[in-house]
Structures are given as structure tokens and as C-alpha cells.
Amino acid sequence: MTRAREVTVRGVPVRLLSGGAGPALLFLHSAGGAGRWLPFQEHLARRFAVEFPSHPGHGGSPAAEWIEHISDLAFHYLDLLDLLGLERVHLVGASFGGWIAAEIAVMAAHRLKSLVLIDPVGIKVDGWIYPFLFAMDLPELVSTVFHDVTAALALVPRGEGPDTLLELARERAALARVAWNPYLYDPLLRRRLPRVTTPTLLCWGEHDRVASLACARVWAAELPDARLEIFGGSGHVPHLEEPARVAAVVGDFCAAREGAG
Amino acid sequence: MKFYYFHLMPYPLEHGEPSSWVTLSNRHYDPAVGHVLYNQYLDQLEYAETLGWDGLCVNEHHQNCYGTMPSPNVMAAMLVRRTRRARIAILGNGLPLRENPLRVAEEIAMLDVASGGRVISGFVRGIGPEYYSTAVNPTHSRERFYEAAELIIRAWTEAGPFPFDGRFYRYPFVNPWPRPLQRPHPPVWCPSQGSAETVEWAARRRFPYLMVFTPIRRIAQIYGEYREACERSGYTASRYQLTVNLPIVVAESDAKADAIARRNALWVYHVGLRMPLQFWQPPGYTTEASLRRLLTAGLKLPTELSFEDLEAGGYIICGGPATVRDKLRVFADELRAGVVCSGFPAGTHEATLDMMQLFAEEVMPHFREDADVDETAGVGR
């Protein structure tokens, strides 16, 4: 059983989905993935108490105009951990959520039992420029993000009236506020990655066209304690494209770090 | 009524690409063709002064075939030295697109001093696709616009040096040389598409409001909102604060004008303004309140407009001299607009000059009750 509620983090209302039992696991979603409890979360919830907040401006969480930098979101989630009384958690972030997770890890590795980054963006990789998703129409966006385009059906908007369109516009604006320029990265993050002493699992879709495997190799090289798992049937969002496989690998990794220090 | 000749300086390319902005490759631009076009367009603007137009308008657009004036101040500089009487209206500089808006204060002051105080300075945000072309964050657009406008006006009106410490723009020393000739500063105009926030902002400062390429029923609505906002600010709007920008096609007869307009007037809407929705509306460019207004207003995209929509909707004025006079009367008497900015999509350069002459002889003289009025007195500052 999942439960949906609203909590207030330092005055910012946050929509929060919670489900499962076990050690606490915080999941930070990708752009477009807010508020959707899908098979990936369902699998993890069999082994962990999953906390799944919507970023401000995403998935029904109201926009927070004061957020102007990715580190604002990282501090926001450290505040959420305090509010929930979670001293140490397993932190799992996908794409944009992976970027936030990495920012949290360079700030406060001591709050993390393990770190899982699924096709994160967030660092500048020489020779790679993230494709400008804001300029794409829906078909191009889907074919860029997904290797298995049928997996995109899970993210189809629930309505089509003005309210739905406004909600989508709010999400795009919330993303653009922190990611338009520099586009999808924080120039300071890469040189701080050596601070992340947390055991880290990098999950990567072999066919990722947003952040290629070249990016994965840079993350693996910069993080002191990282292992790279490649998923052959996926593009940029393997947790949506191969949810059972990814959840099994993630679950095993986090479980192995449970109580390991 | 005052008449301003408005030029987009288009590169009139026919193409099948999905967008005329941002992604339309500049390999389509032939500089040899551009050389001829620029000079014809400048000739047209100069001829407009000869024929009696009150003002000449240039404007800023980037990376597109719709309007090839990335720097309107460069074009204004050319006009300043080739004209003697007409106002030079720059409609306008895209303030948020600048990393150093003090440069706008400097360039406008240069033009104002050189022209003997003939400059009108439009302030615009730039349209959606320009946030893709310049990489300026569209979620900052509105705040950068207000901040840059405040900086520029202070730079024109306060003795320097003084420090300026904004969220986006910071200077330890604001002290531009030259200062503008017009006091307290050149009139500021606000060309816009009718967002509630801009209407309020412009009205509060007495900045004339310019509706660009908008159907007449929406112009009427926005004018009403602007006038109400002026009343809330404690004054009654002058008719010279209400400006309309629309193309005019005039010919010897209605039938001839109709044929010319069908051939030429649609290009701006069907090609020039062709772009996907995500370019029109970059994230955060429009507030949620204004976006809701747009979604429920049922406006068509330019590419969805038929010729009949353009004519019936009052997006353009088209006809023989008598018909054009009648239609302009609606703007002058019912909408009470004081300034009409218009281009004349006649086709060739020669046809444009002929059409301008016909308009100047057969239409303009019928709207000159206010010939002795200075339309810039007491507005725009």
C-alpha cells in the first residue's frame, strides 16, 4: 500500500508518496516522472521503505520561485530527510533526480548509506553536449529519451485540458530554472565528486542518447567508490524501460550496504 | 493620427522546414541577396520620410528569416544620418537578451545625440525563440526586463557615477557618456503581445503600448485594460500611448489590393512566424496567469490563419484607398489609437514605393487633424 500526503519542508509544500517496509530509501525522480508509483518503485518497496517526493513545481508540488540553483534542491532534500527523521538513507536518483542526488552526496555523504545514480546528468563531459530537450516536440523527445518507446506510455499525462497543460508548463519552468544554462549541468559538480565516499552504483542504459556511455565512464572515474552496471535494453531511463531488472540490481546493492557502515 | 513606417526587413524565403526560427539553417541566407534587400529596405524607410511619414521603425530579431535586424541600433544609425525630420523608433531592443544592458543606454544615447533628439526607444523582452538563440534563461526574462529597464532609465536620468546592484546586473560604476539629448530621456515604448503584467507596467510609467500583429478584438480588449490601468495610476491615457502595428495593402481598387495581399501578406504568418509551440513558449517565459488566458482565449497560431481570418480579424488592412480609409477610421475613432505603425507588403521594391506613394497621397491626408501635435509630448517618460 502506498500513501500519498503533503508535507511542508521549510515552508515549501511537497507531495510525497511513501510505500513498503524496511530500511529507508529516498527516490528522486527524473523530469516528467513525478508522482507516479510505477513497477520500479513497487519492486523496491518489497525490500525498503521508499520515500518518493515530487520536486517543487513537478507532479502537483507547487512551484518554489526561490529555487534558482541545483544546490537549492539538494538542500531542500536534506531538509526533507530532517523532517522525516531519517538520519541515513539509501539515495536513488534518476536523470535530473540523479543530478540532485550527486549534489547531495558531495554535500553530505555521511547522510547516505548508499548512492544509486541512474543515467544522471549534472556534470560537463568533454566531447559530449546534452541534446537540448526543451527544443523538442513530443515525438522527438520520446525517441531521444527512450530506447523502448512503449515504456513512455507510463508517463502519458492524465488529462488534456488547460489544467494539465499548465501543470506541464510548470514542470518545464521548474526544470529550466535550474537547468537551462548551463544546460543540465553544474560547472562545479565534477571536481567535487571525489568527496563522495559513499559506495555508489551507476546504472546506465546502453542506448542512452541524452547522456551517453562516455558520460558514464567519466562518472565512474571521478567517483571514488563506484561500480557501473549497463542495461542493454534501455535508453536514458532504464528504471522505466527495464524496471524489474534495474530494481533487482539496485535492491541488491543497497541491501548489501545495509549495516555495512 | 500619426503614421510610422515599420520595417521587419524580412528575408523572404520560401521553404519547407518546420521552423523559420532557431533551427532554419543560415546556409539559406545569401549575403549577395541580403545586400540588395538591406539597401532596398533602407531606401523605403528614407522614402517614407520624404512622403510624410512621422516615424521610421526598426526592430530586433535573431536567427530567423522573418526579420533580419539582430541589431536594430545599427539600422537606426544608418537612418539617423540619411533623414532630417522623422522620428527613429527602435521597437525595440530586447533587454533581457543582453548581458550588458548598459550598452543599450549608451547606444540609444549616441543615436539621440546624433539625431538631434529624434529617437524613440522601445523596450521588449524578445520573443520565445530568441531565448533558444541567445541561451538566456526564459524563466528570468520578465525580471531581467524590469531590472534592465530600470537600470537604463536611471543611467539616462541620474548624474553618474552611481553603483547598481541588481539580481542580474551589477555595476560598481554607472556613468555612461554620452547622455541622451531628449529630457528627461528618449520616449520609451512597449511593443507587446498583451500580457497582463506588461500592460500594467507600461501604463504605470506612461510608456506607450504597441500591439503587434494582433486581431482587432484582442487589441480592443488590451487597450481597455491599458486605459483602466492608467486610470488606476491616476491619469487618463493619451491617444498617443495607444499604438497599433499592422500591415497595410492599398491599391487602386479593392480587387487589386485583395490580389496583392493574397500573394504577399500571408508570408509573414505562414512562413515568417512558422515555428513549433515549444519555441513560441519557452519554459517560464509566460506567467501561469497569462498562459491560462492564452489557452482559454482560443487564439490561432499564425500558421493556422487563413487570408480571410487576417482580413476579417483585422490583422491587416487591405483595399482601395476609400476602403483603407474606412478601416483606418475604426482604429482612429473606435479604438482611439494615436499611432499606426505599418509595413506595406507589396512584393517588389518598385511596387512597395508605388504603394507607399498611393497611401501618402490618398489615405494619409485624411487623418491629419493632429498635424501640429507632438505625439511624444508627455508620454513615454
Side-chain angles (χ1 to χ4, degrees):
Chain A
M1 281 299 286
T2 61
R3 133 174 116 114
R5 64 188 155 134
E6 189 175 293
V7 296
T8 303
V9 184
R10 286 188 188 273
V12 180
V14 173
R15 274 181 48 88
L16 181 64
L17 300 176
S18 309
L25 182 151
L26 177 65
F27 175 74
L28 300 181
H29 65 81
S30 55
R36 295 174 187 264
W37 192 272
L38 296 171
F40 178 69
Q41 287 79 14
E42 198 54 50
H43 283 292
L44 287 179
R46 290 178 193 150
R47 303 163 76 173
F48 300 92
V50 176
E51 301 289 357
F52 177 4
S54 292
H55 309 320
H58 295 249
S61 281
E65 301 284 335
W66 59 270
I67 289 179
E68 60 180 66
H69 189 264
I70 195 74
S71 60
D72 288 325
L73 284 162
F75 283 118
H76 168 75
Y77 285 119
L78 287 168
D79 291 341
L80 175 69
L81 292 183
D82 291 343
L83 183 86
L84 298 176
L86 300 172
E87 184 51 39
R88 296 181 75 230
V89 294
H90 301 285
L91 177 59
V92 180
S95 182
F96 177 57
W99 178 10
I100 304 169
E103 297 275 354
I104 293 171
V106 299
M107 288 174 179
H110 60 281
R111 300 293 296 269
L112 308 181
K113 292 176 178 170
S114 69
L115 174 65
V116 178
L117 304 176
I118 304 170
D119 299 70
V121 294
I123 62 170
K124 181 170 173 59
V125 172
D126 298 334
W128 182 256
I129 295 174
Y130 302 111
F132 205 66
L133 304 173
F134 289 117
M136 294 180 186
D137 62 16
L138 192 60
E140 192 183 0
L141 190 63
V142 167
S143 65
T144 304
V145 170
F146 291 85
H147 177 63
D148 173 9
V149 293
T150 60
L153 291 172
L155 302 185
V156 170
R158 295 176 176 111
E160 49 191 32
D163 287 333
T164 302
L165 293 173
L166 284 169
E167 192 171 313
L168 292 173
R170 194 180 308 135
E171 285 191 11
R172 290 180 77 221
L175 184 64
R177 202 167 280 125
V178 297
W180 182 272
N181 181 2
Y183 175 61
L184 287 185
Y185 70 88
D186 170 0
L188 305 179
L189 179 58
R190 181 170 165 178
R191 63 178 157 85
R192 291 173 180 170
L193 290 179
R195 304 190 79 242
V196 181
T197 50
T198 315
T200 303
L201 172 68
L202 289 162
C203 296
W204 224 279
E206 187 176 354
H207 309 283
D208 190 340
R209 282 179 287 273
V210 176
S212 74
L213 278 177
C215 302
R217 290 187 197 101
V218 170
W219 281 92
E222 297 283 1
L223 289 161
D225 183 5
R227 188 182 103 203
L228 176 61
E229 280 287 331
I230 293 169
F231 294 86
S234 290
H236 182 59
V237 281
H239 63 300
L240 299 173
E241 298 171 275
E242 299 174 77
R245 273 197 65 211
V246 179
V249 173
V250 170
D252 289 347
F253 180 82
C254 295
R257 269 76 205 163
E258 187 54 40
Chain B
M1 192 162 221
K2 300 295 180 181
F3 292 94
Y4 279 46
Y5 194 95
F6 179 89
H7 223 305
L8 280 173
M9 301 204 179
Y11 190 87
L13 177 77
E14 296 293 343
H15 67 83
E17 302 294 322
S19 180
S20 288
W21 295 74
V22 186
T23 54
L24 180 65
S25 173
N26 61 2
R27 71 183 159 78
H28 292 293
Y29 184 86
D30 180 344
V33 173
H35 169 74
V36 174
L37 289 175
Y38 269 157
N39 284 284
Q40 288 178 346
Y41 294 160
L42 288 162
D43 285 348
Q44 290 161 19
L45 284 161
E46 292 168 22
Y47 187 48
E49 184 190 57
T50 310
L51 290 173
W53 261 269
D54 302 287
L56 312 174
C57 312
V58 293
N59 67 117
E60 171 175 341
H61 284 300
H62 297 271
Q63 301 193 12
N64 74 99
C65 66
Y66 164 88
T68 54
M69 273 181 283
S71 171
N73 303 344
V74 168
M75 286 301 173
M78 299 186 209
L79 290 170
V80 158
R81 286 286 297 167
R82 299 277 293 173
T83 57
R84 282 289 172 267
R85 174 188 54 79
R87 292 261 166 197
I88 310 290
I90 300 153
L91 304 178
N93 274 281
L95 304 188
L97 308 179
R98 298 285 186 123
E99 290 309 322
N100 174 14
L102 213 44
R103 186 68 183 258
V104 175
E106 292 173 330
E107 289 172 2
I108 296 292
M110 287 172 70
L111 292 166
D112 201 45
V113 170
S115 69
R118 288 189 286 137
V119 168
I120 289 169
S121 174
F123 288 167
V124 297
R125 288 207 287 144
I127 68 172
E130 287 159 336
Y131 288 81
Y132 291 87
S133 298
T134 60
V136 168
N137 194 322
T139 69
H140 299 160
S141 164
R142 196 168 293 280
E143 211 182 323
R144 281 170 73 100
F145 176 76
Y146 295 143
E147 192 174 302
E150 185 207 335
L151 167 67
I152 291 166
I153 289 168
R154 285 188 59 195
W156 283 339
T157 53
E158 289 181 27
F162 61 86
F164 185 90
D165 191 32
R167 180 181 170 206
F168 297 103
Y169 306 115
R170 292 173 288 271
Y171 302 87
F173 301 101
V174 176
N175 191 23
W177 291 59
R179 294 189 294 128
L181 192 145
Q182 295 179 81
R183 306 310 304 161
H185 59 76
V188 171
W189 284 17
C190 271
S192 173
Q193 291 163 320
S195 79
E197 299 81 7
T198 309
V199 168
E200 186 72 34
W201 183 82
R204 204 160 58 235
R205 287 165 177 73
R206 299 177 187 248
F207 294 164
Y209 197 81
L210 172 65
M211 294 296 298
V212 183
F213 295 172
T214 310
I216 194 164
R217 67 181 163 83
R218 188 160 156 85
I219 295 176
Q221 176 204 341
I222 305 293
Y223 277 9
E225 291 172 12
Y226 181 89
R227 287 195 170 93
E228 284 169 27
C230 293
E231 296 295 336
R232 276 200 301 282
S233 291
Y235 74 100
T236 298
S238 143
R239 66 189 294 124
Y240 300 112
Q241 282 172 261
L242 294 154
T243 300
V244 66
N245 183 348
L246 80 176
I248 296 176
V249 174
V250 62
E252 290 74 19
S253 67
D254 287 356
K256 274 189 182 168
D258 189 84
I260 295 169
R262 280 176 191 276
R263 208 163 48 237
N264 302 314
L266 281 171
W267 182 89
V268 162
Y269 301 91
H270 288 185
V271 182
L273 289 171
R274 182 194 304 159
M275 71 184 96
L277 204 54
Q278 62 271 22
F279 288 172
W280 274 119
Q281 287 294 338
Y285 174 78
T286 304
T287 62
E288 280 191 32
S290 289
L291 207 51
R292 182 176 290 279
R293 209 154 89 133
L294 279 175
L295 285 170
T296 50
L299 289 175
K300 289 183 173 179
L301 287 172
T303 44
E304 296 167 342
L305 294 166
S306 67
F307 181 74
E308 287 68 27
D309 289 332
L310 292 180
E311 239 212 328
Y315 286 87
I316 64 168
I317 287 179
C318 160
T323 304
V324 169
R325 287 196 296 266
D326 289 346
K327 289 180 177 174
L328 268 176
R329 279 275 161 236
V330 176
F331 287 91
D333 298 345
E334 289 174 35
L335 293 177
R336 288 176 290 138
V339 184
V340 171
C341 300
S342 48
F344 291 78
T348 65
H349 176 53
E350 290 69 26
T352 304
L353 300 180
D354 288 345
M355 189 180 285
M356 290 168 68
Q357 189 176 347
L358 183 64
F359 186 84
E361 289 173 356
E362 300 293 333
V363 180
M364 221 189 269
H366 296 263
F367 294 86
R368 287 312 206 178
E369 308 84 3
D370 61 351
D372 299 330
V373 178
D374 176 3
E375 71 274 23
T376 65
V379 301
R381 48 207 159 190

